[in-house]
Amino acid sequence: MIRPDAPLLLDICDLHASVEDQPILKGVNLSIRAGEIHAVMGRNGSGKSTLSKVLAGHPAYTVTAGSVNYRGADLLELDPEQRARIGLFLGFQYPVEIPGVSNLEFLRVATNSRRAERGDEELDTFAFEDLVHERLKVVQMDPAFLGRSVNEGFSGGEKKRNEILQMALLEPLVAILDETDSGLDIDALRIVADGVNQLAGPENATLLITHYQRLLDLITPDYVHVMAAGRILRTGGKELALELERTGYDWVDLELARLEPETVEVA
Amino acid sequence: MSTATVGDLVSQPYKHGFVTDIETEKIAKGLSEDVVRLISSKKDEPDFLLQFRLRAYRQWLQTAEPDWAALGYPPIDYQNIIYYAAPKQQEKKASLDEVDPKLLETFDKLGIPLSEQKRLSNVAVDAVFDSVSIATTYKEKLAEHGVIFCSISEAVKEHPELIEAYLGTVVPSNDNYFAALNSAVFSDGSFVFIPKGVECPMELSTYFRINSADTGQFERTLIVAEEGASVSYLEGCTAPMFDTNQLHAAVVELVVLDDASIKYSTVQNWYAGDENGVGGIYNFVTKRGQCRGARSRISWTQVETGSAITWKYPSCVLQGADSVGEFYSVALTNNHQQADTGTKMIHVGPRTRSTIVSKGISAGHSSNSYRGLVQIGPKALGAKNYSQCDSMLIGDQAAANTYPYIRSQQPDAVVEHEASTCRISADQLFYLQSRGIGFEEAVSMMVSGFCRDVFNQLPMEFAAEADKLLALKLEGSVG
């Protein structure tokens, strides 16, 4: 939902970042307001996942230039856990397994750290169980997964549902979902998309990172951005994604070749 | 941005490193037959014990120091150690009011209050300071149940027949180099006797404190559970920070008769040396229990976080039919600490069962080895063992090794061994952090999770203590 007067949540300005001295992001500009759903598309290696990790504060990436403003605060100054506590969420493409750490306890500690930041009282184990059982419905998840170790032995679809469950508990203001659709069969995709739609509201915003139109058939974006060579090359409405589906990315190469001939390898 | 690393977190200052300024009676450095006689006479011991010591001393002279463990350290100069040190107070006091307040204060500071008002309500404590036991709480209450809990010196005086009957019967004085040394010069330790059919009404605990810089500590613990008796016992240990190494060579013997059980838990937090590996305790300990009776049970649980060097293999000899031995261990090494620790399960009787769960955590430049033996004798029909050895590496300079030895002379025996190694990865930490969980708590969650199988075995009162101890070792400043 686009409302020009909605508050600005995330403002990315000329963001450059590198990993092991290899520049990946080369000047990303993106503004996200409350209520909006954005999709970032692009080929492998275009910098989509790097953008999500830099925003969440992954230590392997170094920001070399630019700024990210999150609701008036300098996001890049904050530790990853502080970013999460003030409402930034990253749904991982490949959620890691953490043996020995109970999923339920993990969810409770995470939820309470976000609640503490918002000034809400801490939930004890009983109150939290009530909350988590209510939120499980968002992703139609079996409560048995709460008793297991975090993501351990979960199938690809179960891991992604666990990500959306975390999102439902943390109630982020900006949720970045990194290829949440990858590795999902059509039923799991529908459940995950349904969860995201339920959680999207006028106060928060969603940034979907995806290769495929099929996710955007289920979650309708307000804006679609095409990323290539570490920057956003074109921005449009939902029809841009459909156009990509039809024409592929060849035009991207042409446009890049026009912008910076030296960076394009023509296959 | 956070600059803390997991390495910073596990490098916490040692919190028990203070020295108590107290007048101490020490004998001259060095070891000889005269020194052994002197220790025995200072303690006014009966002749059988003097003979036991002298025999052990001669055996020690003829034994070589073991060199098979994955440990490296400069040769120990056994003539440069003081073999007896005691805080100067006369006889052991009849009541705690007469104990030197400095000593009570020391134990207060260590979180082991001994005085009537403050002491733990459900745990009886024997407090050992350098070479002697200074106080034992709740003795009278225990005596009402027929339970004997006192220092071993006191037991030698009050119950010599029990000492003569059991001492050295599980760990003979010629068992190994360090056991021989201990048998010759042991100064104090705890004695527990649970008579037939008695379930000990409270947890028993001994707290060992090394205070003097150049003193070795050689304590001796003997626990006997008669038919149908049971007891849960915990030992804790700390020492001040010195830049020299102190030798600690203890012997613990457990005897359980028919249907009896002993649960023996250790939270070991000796000084581990500084970040460059200077100083710290050399811990060479022989712990063994004998399940003599049918359906008897011994359970060892240990949380090892201190010592520069740990050489320790709490073992079970499963003689009685259907007897059960258990070993649950967490060993954390950091900086330049070295640990070679594990267990021996010797299956002698039929249908004996044993379980081994070992969790090693190595950080810094440390080395952490599990060494375990499962031996099934020809009469151990239907014996079963399950072993699980997991290692966690923190950083890329630490080493973890597993040396399982299995010897079976019984084709029907079932022996299972599982081992795994994992590393706290940057991606796991980032995942937890990106959910709002701070760096320290994230590390602590993962380490606690890794150790849960063992912590679950600790008596409830101490499980929290162990968790806290690991958290202490792991806590640090972030950002």
Side-chain angles (χ1 to χ4, degrees):
Chain A
M1 175 204 327
I2 302 174
R3 287 176 297 145
D5 59 332
L8 190 59
L9 293 179
L10 192 69
D11 195 14
I12 304 170
C13 265
D14 194 30
L15 186 65
H16 288 68
S18 51
V19 60
E20 288 169 354
D21 296 328
Q22 178 75 38
I24 310 281
L25 299 185
K26 299 170 189 169
V28 176
N29 292 290
L30 179 62
S31 298
I32 298 178
R33 289 179 187 276
E36 297 174 350
I37 296 177
H38 291 243
V40 172
M41 305 183 76
R43 283 188 170 147
N44 281 332
S46 58
K48 309 185 300 287
S49 280
T50 297
L51 176 63
S52 69
K53 295 227 170 77
V54 168
L55 291 175
H58 195 289
Y61 299 86
T62 311
V63 173
T64 51
S67 67
V68 180
N69 191 296
Y70 175 86
R71 303 178 73 214
D74 180 355
L75 189 73
L76 301 177
E77 277 298 301
L78 303 175
D79 288 331
E81 58 268 34
Q82 290 168 309
R83 299 182 194 195
R85 289 172 194 159
I86 59 174
L88 187 87
F89 178 86
L90 171 60
F92 286 82
Q93 182 178 4
Y94 303 110
V96 291
E97 302 193 357
I98 309 181
V101 175
S102 128
N103 199 29
L104 182 66
E105 182 62 11
F106 157 69
L107 294 169
R108 192 174 75 88
V109 173
T111 304
N112 277 331
S113 68
R114 170 94 172 105
R115 290 178 66 88
E117 183 70 33
R118 294 202 287 190
D120 295 337
E121 90 281 12
E122 189 178 318
L123 297 178
D124 62 24
T125 45
F126 301 107
F128 182 70
E129 287 233 21
D130 293 345
L131 177 69
V132 80
H133 282 278
E134 177 205 315
R135 299 292 154 91
L136 275 174
K137 292 177 198 147
V138 173
V139 283
Q140 301 174 31
M141 203 163 132
D142 182 345
F145 286 102
L146 298 173
R148 293 169 53 179
S149 293
V150 178
N151 294 326
E152 194 181 29
F154 288 25
S155 71
E158 288 155 359
K159 283 180 181 167
K160 295 296 170 72
R161 286 200 218 184
N162 204 31
E163 294 293 290
I164 305 303
L165 173 63
Q166 291 166 44
M167 180 175 155
L169 287 163
L170 295 173
E171 301 174 359
L173 294 173
V174 174
I176 305 161
L177 302 176
D178 188 7
E179 306 209 13
T180 293
D181 50 333
S182 69
L184 295 186
D185 61 36
I186 193 70
D187 292 331
L189 180 68
R190 199 174 296 277
I191 289 166
V192 164
D194 195 38
V196 173
N197 282 329
Q198 286 179 57
L199 297 171
E203 305 302 323
N204 59 34
T206 309
L207 178 60
L208 303 167
I209 290 174
T210 183
H211 276 296
Y212 303 109
Q213 173 59 35
R214 62 175 199 161
L215 179 67
L216 305 182
D217 288 338
L218 301 169
I219 306 170
T220 311
D222 299 302
Y223 295 100
V224 173
H225 311 276
V226 179
M227 244 184 124
R231 64 171 81 169
I232 289 173
L233 211 58
R234 193 190 282 186
T235 294
K238 61 184 179 202
E239 63 289 344
L240 178 55
L242 294 166
E243 185 189 327
L244 275 175
E245 183 84 351
R246 252 193 339 269
T247 62
Y249 285 96
D250 288 349
W251 64 269
V252 171
D253 294 337
L254 295 173
E255 190 152 341
L256 262 186
R258 189 171 57 79
L259 286 171
E260 7 173 357
E262 73 281 7
T263 61
V264 179
E265 291 171 32
V266 178
Chain B
M1 287 295 292
S2 160
T3 50
T5 64
V6 183
D8 296 336
L9 287 186
V10 293
S11 306
Q12 279 308 290
Y14 186 64
K15 314 226 162 166
H16 309 288
F18 62 92
V19 183
T20 305
D21 179 19
I22 191 160
E23 243 194 296
T24 307
E25 183 202 352
K26 291 179 182 175
I27 63 172
K29 280 183 180 176
L31 183 54
S32 64
E33 194 166 312
D34 288 344
V35 167
V36 174
R37 285 179 189 279
L38 181 62
I39 292 171
S40 188
S41 78
K42 277 197 175 296
K43 303 178 82 71
D44 203 11
E45 289 175 350
D47 189 57
F48 82 84
L49 200 49
L50 174 62
Q51 296 311 322
F52 176 84
R53 287 178 183 277
L54 290 173
R55 193 169 59 243
Y57 175 66
R58 290 176 202 126
Q59 285 162 338
W60 179 70
L61 288 177
Q62 287 160 13
T63 315
E65 198 170 327
D67 60 359
W68 41 260
L71 301 169
Y73 54 94
I76 298 169
D77 181 358
Y78 290 92
Q79 298 305 331
N80 196 32
I81 292 171
I82 293 172
Y83 287 86
Y84 183 85
K88 264 197 187 145
Q89 56 169 359
Q90 303 317 312
E91 288 301 291
K92 187 160 174 178
K93 302 301 179 188
S95 103
L96 278 168
D97 306 337
E98 298 166 49
V99 173
D100 189 324
K102 267 189 190 165
L103 290 175
L104 295 180
E105 208 177 282
T106 299
F107 282 93
D108 261 359
K109 241 169 121 173
L110 295 169
I112 317 290
L114 299 171
S115 60
E116 282 305 333
Q117 310 81 14
K118 287 186 283 183
R119 67 197 186 183
L120 303 166
S121 61
N122 47 355
V123 184
V125 177
D126 185 24
V128 177
F129 189 89
D130 282 338
S131 298
V132 298
S133 163
I134 58 156
T136 310
T137 60
Y138 292 115
K139 272 167 74 171
E140 298 75 18
K141 188 177 169 200
L142 290 167
E144 286 169 23
H145 295 82
V147 172
I148 303 170
F149 180 40
C150 62
S151 72
I152 202 143
S153 309
E154 201 177 330
V156 167
K157 290 201 175 67
E158 307 290 328
H159 312 281
E161 71 295 344
L162 289 174
I163 298 296
E164 195 167 5
Y166 289 106
L167 189 77
T169 61
V170 181
V171 179
S173 56
N174 63 351
D175 186 80
N176 67 70
Y177 187 80
F178 297 106
L181 179 63
N182 174 285
S183 301
V185 303
F186 74 88
S187 38
D188 220 334
S190 297
F191 175 69
V192 177
F193 180 82
I194 317 287
K196 201 169 169 173
V198 171
E199 187 181 326
C200 188
M202 53 172 68
E203 301 273 346
L204 305 184
S205 169
T206 301
Y207 196 91
F208 294 102
R209 174 71 177 171
I210 293 180
N211 192 57
S212 308
D214 38 12
T215 309
Q217 185 158 354
F218 307 94
E219 83 266 0
R220 186 104 194 174
T221 299
L222 174 60
I223 302 180
V224 179
E226 285 196 329
E227 291 85 350
S230 68
V231 62
S232 169
Y233 177 90
L234 181 114
E235 63 169 18
C237 355
T238 58
M241 290 154 57
F242 293 118
D243 54 12
T244 52
N245 300 104
Q246 287 90 53
L247 178 63
H248 173 256
V251 170
V252 174
E253 297 178 282
L254 312 182
V255 177
V256 277
L257 305 184
D258 287 358
D259 299 297
S261 71
I262 296 177
K263 184 177 177 64
Y264 193 108
S265 314
T266 304
V267 176
Q268 188 263 105
N269 188 22
W270 297 119
Y271 178 51
D274 69 8
E275 66 278 12
N276 300 312
V278 176
I281 303 286
Y282 286 177
N283 194 28
F284 295 92
V285 173
T286 306
K287 291 184 165 179
R288 192 174 306 154
Q290 243 174 20
C291 285
R292 288 192 190 167
R295 297 167 303 278
S296 58
R297 177 186 283 263
I298 287 175
S299 179
W300 298 102
T301 304
Q302 59 171 16
V303 179
E304 302 277 311
T305 65
S307 294
I309 287 178
T310 300
W311 180 97
K312 182 179 171 188
Y313 315 90
S315 306
C316 298
V317 182
L318 304 168
Q319 288 173 339
D322 301 292
S323 60
V324 176
E326 295 172 325
F327 175 76
Y328 298 95
S329 169
V330 168
L332 171 74
T333 55
N334 191 15
N335 297 322
H336 292 267
Q337 279 177 272
Q338 305 175 57
D340 192 300
T341 184
T343 184
K344 289 188 274 187
M345 292 292 174
I346 314 291
H347 292 253
V348 181
R351 297 175 306 280
T352 45
R353 283 170 289 146
S354 63
T355 303
I356 298 171
V357 177
S358 162
K359 306 274 180 178
I361 303 163
S362 352
H365 292 82
S366 69
S367 152
N368 200 328
S369 302
Y370 167 82
R371 188 183 302 276
L373 167 68
V374 176
Q375 184 169 315
I376 316 273
K379 291 179 186 158
L381 271 163
K384 274 186 192 160
N385 162 266
Y386 172 74
S387 303
Q388 183 191 334
C389 303
D390 300 323
S391 307
M392 178 182 262
L393 292 164
I394 298 178
D396 53 8
Q397 303 290 314
N401 305 300
T402 302
Y403 303 100
Y405 304 84
I406 298 170
R407 289 185 206 134
S408 180
Q409 295 168 276
Q410 176 45 257
D412 289 342
V414 178
V415 179
E416 288 177 63
H417 181 91
E418 286 179 25
S420 74
T421 302
C422 66
R423 190 181 287 281
I424 292 190
S425 73
D427 281 338
Q428 288 172 321
L429 281 171
F430 178 64
Y431 187 80
L432 295 175
Q433 282 179 282
S434 73
R435 297 301 180 249
I437 299 168
F439 187 82
E440 282 172 27
E441 196 173 2
V443 172
S444 166
M445 262 176 124
M446 288 169 61
V447 170
S448 300
F450 179 72
C451 300
R452 180 160 302 136
D453 294 348
V454 175
F455 286 171
N456 284 345
Q457 297 297 326
L458 283 172
M460 211 183 359
E461 292 81 352
F462 302 111
E465 194 181 313
D467 215 6
K468 213 165 64 188
L469 179 61
L470 281 202
L472 258 181
K473 294 251 162 184
L474 295 168
E475 108 183 328
S477 53
V478 175

